[in-house]
Amino acid sequence: MRARSFSVPWFTVLNVIQLTIAGIVVITPTLWMVLSSFKPSFEVTAYPPTLIFSPTLENYASLSQTTPFLHYAFNSVLVTVSSTLIGILLGAPAAFVVSWTRITWPAIVSLVARMAPGTLFLLPWYVMFRHFDMIGSYWSLILTHAVITLPIVLWVMLPFFDGIPRSVIEAAQIDGCGPIKIFRRIAVPLVSTGIAVASILAFVFSWNYFLFALVLSNAQTKTLVAASFNFIGEGATNWGGLMAAATLIALPPLILAVVVQRWLVSGLTLGAVKG
Amino acid sequence: MASISLRKLVKKFGELTVIPDLDLEIPDREFVVLVGPSGCGKSTLLRILAGLETIDGGEVMIGEERVNGVPAAKRDIAMVFQDYALYPHMTVRQNMAFALENKGADKAEIERRITEASRLLDIGDYLDRRPKALSGGQRQRVAMGRAIVRDPKVFLFDEPLSNLDAKLRAAVRAEIKALAQKIRTTMVFVTHDQIEAMTMADRIVVMKAGVIQQVGKPEEIYERPVNMFVAGFIGSPAMNFFPVTVEGDDLRLQTGDTVPGHAVPGFATLSAGQDRQIVLGIRPEHLDGAGEGKGEGVPITVDLVEPLGSDTLIHFTLGDVAAIARVSPDLRLAPGDRVSLVPAPGKARLFDAESGKAIQ
Ligand SMILES: Nc1ncnc2c1ncn2[C@@H]1O[C@H](COP(=O)(O)OP(=O)(O)O)[C@@H](O)[C@H]1O
Ligand SMILES: [Mg+2]
């Protein structure tokens, strides 16, 4: 140990500094948000921020009284889970086909679509959904959110499918499998980690996506993220309520990320299937 | 069980023509080994048989059926891959059962075949393990087992021994041969290793650059190679090639030494003074050391000695040709020694230097 401590390379030190800064940047607002949500309203905006206070659940209690919070949560879950499912059901086979045939243009197109700002789609969609009288429907939200999830699933899954040796797929062909059976019985079981990673990422992105829900939902179908906008403006902002809502909204992705973090990291770094 | 016939087969990868025009007939129940240097198109040919590659011309027949457009899944053939290609998420048992389940075989039948195959291959002890928990040799056996349970029309093997260490390779080679004699199904085995070809094949197909050079029984290929490529490729160490000229009843080497023509098949068809470049091919094992100064044979100086135990390889230079002879260890030769080498009568071959073709 002693010998090591003398030979810490300079970049290790730099790494630690970088990570510390990154950690502070990420953790401070989160901590501030969570702490504030437990503060009495008058203390939330106090300056300097108080670190010692008597925690209260009043912000959380007021949430469910002042807004249909549970209903919004249900909307969010419905839209997010559905769009994630659609993303997986369409994206995983698509990724398999792209990986196997090496015809990559569909993947590129989806990536470009994903990278383009959402506002680009918003107007045409608005016009389209209005034409079909679907504004405010769950379907309009689910379908538009599927546009978020599909490219994520496709691109996350691609290296996992690439990691399957071609000979394994060929062996299955020779063993009498058609494409669908190969996908179900060979490819999918071999990329289960990838499916988990893709699902989680799709879930998180869909859950957090704000713009489409803001425009295409109505009071009945609003998602949590869109609804949290209600706390801002309209005269005085209810900071305590906003913090409580934000904390609750951030909870599912955070819990997911923590639960599967080891999986997530290993899954993101290598998609290889070891025989 | 089925015969195979390939007619006027053409295969291209984009601009690259891998197989320009190939005909091959493989009778039912024959064990054929395709052998040739790396990149000559052996795997491609095998994959065409399997239905894993499309073709750009010609016909592929398995049994009486023309299978040109038939996908691999419908060809009822089994293949053992170079990397074994076992299903990593399945146990050995599931790996073996998979194809049978796809065919809709009933449970009892599947179980019976797995038991039989695992006894044949001695893999019964790890039927419930995943491939990851097996050694290379065990995986190789499982890959064979997965093929055998199928009871397919044709077995295809793509260099299945190349990932095994030398000792294991020799053992498995013998096992595959024994197995082939037991199951007697048409088998096509691809290798770049001429020893595998010689030891296992009923018939050998020698390929070079997508073109079949010679088809024949191992001893035919060894004894009567049709050209210098086959002669040099089959046999280890490789055949020695010496440029010669015809002089009366003799062949004259670059050094001026002569070899009597009557000992060389094909000599009678040559006429003296012909303006034709001729190559004398002699295998190392067909050069006998006769000791010095016996008046016969070709005197050489030993450059290097490689004792193999049963035999000794001596390296020497004749004219500008580096050559090898396989002689008796009793000669106790050392580098620098002089010895006379006598070609075994009837064993040498003559080739046309320009075309490389054998002169029969
Ligand atoms: N999928 C492919 N695309 C392009 N060229 C290929 C492909 N597969 C094989 N080849 C080429 O075809 C030739 C024959 O390959 P292969 O049949 O694998 O040779 P072998 O098995 O005899 O070593 C090689 O030149 C190889 O580079
Ligand atoms: Mg090959």
Side-chain angles (χ1 to χ4, degrees), chain A residues 68-143:
Chain A
F69 191 84
L70 277 181
H71 183 68
Y72 293 152
F74 167 80
N75 291 347
S76 264
V77 169
L78 178 73
V79 169
T80 302
V81 169
S82 307
S83 63
T84 300
L85 268 178
I86 292 176
I88 293 287
L89 288 179
L90 297 179
F96 179 59
V97 171
V98 168
S99 164
W100 177 254
T101 61
R102 298 183 179 150
I103 299 171
T104 49
W105 65 262
I108 307 285
V109 167
S110 86
L111 187 67
V112 170
R114 179 68 193 88
M115 284 167 141
T119 39
L120 205 68
F121 303 99
L122 205 53
L123 193 61
W125 275 349
Y126 187 80
V127 173
M128 190 180 86
F129 284 123
R130 151 138 276 160
H131 177 79
F132 291 115
D133 199 17
M134 280 171 73
I135 302 282
S137 71
Y138 284 122
W139 275 116
S140 66
L141 295 183
I142 291 169
L143 289 178

Side-chain angles (χ1 to χ4, degrees), chain B residues 83-356:
Chain B
D83 62 356
Y84 315 138
L86 300 174
Y87 309 122
H89 57 303
M90 297 186 192
T91 62
V92 169
R93 187 191 301 278
Q94 290 166 335
N95 263 280
M96 301 212 307
F98 190 60
L100 295 173
E101 285 166 6
N102 291 334
K103 261 202 263 185
D106 65 71
K107 276 218 151 55
E109 172 68 6
I110 293 176
E111 198 48 43
R112 192 185 63 73
R113 292 215 207 166
I114 291 178
T115 310
E116 192 183 308
S118 53
R119 200 171 40 227
L120 209 58
L121 289 162
D122 200 18
I123 54 178
D125 288 343
Y126 36 88
L127 281 180
D128 293 314
R129 283 200 221 160
R130 297 264 169 89
K132 202 183 277 186
L134 302 177
S135 71
Q138 291 169 332
R139 285 181 204 184
Q140 206 279 336
R141 281 161 183 278
V142 173
M144 303 252 302
R146 186 172 68 177
I148 287 173
V149 290
R150 297 265 314 269
D151 192 16
K153 282 187 192 152
V154 178
F155 280 99
L156 305 175
F157 298 85
D158 192 357
E159 312 220 14
L161 307 184
S162 60
N163 287 332
L164 303 178
D165 61 58
K167 200 171 162 192
L168 198 54
R169 198 179 312 163
V172 177
R173 205 165 64 204
E175 278 180 40
I176 292 182
K177 185 168 182 172
L179 202 67
Q181 279 162 1
K182 230 177 276 172
I183 33 190
R184 297 259 37 123
T185 302
T186 314
M187 298 197 183
V188 185
F189 188 106
V190 158
T191 178
H192 65 271
D193 180 351
Q194 54 91 22
I195 297 180
E196 283 174 24
M198 287 297 290
T199 50
M200 295 198 288
D202 290 336
R203 265 193 331 153
I204 294 178
V205 176
V206 185
M207 282 179 71
K208 177 191 167 195
V211 178
I212 292 180
Q213 305 291 307
Q214 188 170 4
V215 181
K217 294 203 171 81
E219 55 274 19
E220 269 169 40
I221 303 262
Y222 175 81
E223 286 164 11
R224 289 189 298 283
V226 295
N227 60 31
M228 285 174 71
F229 174 79
V230 176
F233 192 79
I234 299 288
S236 175
M239 184 182 267
N240 304 301
F241 295 114
F242 306 108
V244 291
T245 49
V246 181
E247 240 181 57
D249 290 337
D250 294 328
L251 289 164
R252 181 179 286 276
L253 295 157
Q254 281 174 322
T255 52
D257 302 300
T258 56
V259 174
H262 64 82
V264 181
F267 182 80
T269 66
L270 300 172
S271 47
Q274 226 175 12
D275 199 22
R276 188 175 175 193
Q277 302 288 311
I278 294 168
V279 173
L280 175 68
I282 308 179
R283 297 195 181 279
E285 52 273 39
H286 296 148
L287 283 169
D288 299 325
E292 205 184 343
K294 296 248 175 79
E296 57 169 335
V298 179
I300 57 103
T301 306
V302 177
D303 291 337
L304 182 75
V305 178
E306 282 185 273
L308 301 178
S310 56
D311 305 300
T312 297
L313 299 182
I314 56 173
H315 295 241
F316 60 96
T317 315
L318 199 67
D320 54 10
V321 180
I324 299 177
R326 186 193 281 266
V327 299
S328 159
D330 299 336
L331 290 176
R332 307 243 168 257
L333 292 168
D337 287 354
R338 300 276 300 166
V339 66
S340 277
L341 295 175
V342 182
K347 297 292 191 187
R349 308 293 300 169
L350 290 173
F351 300 96
D352 182 286
E354 207 172 308
S355 67

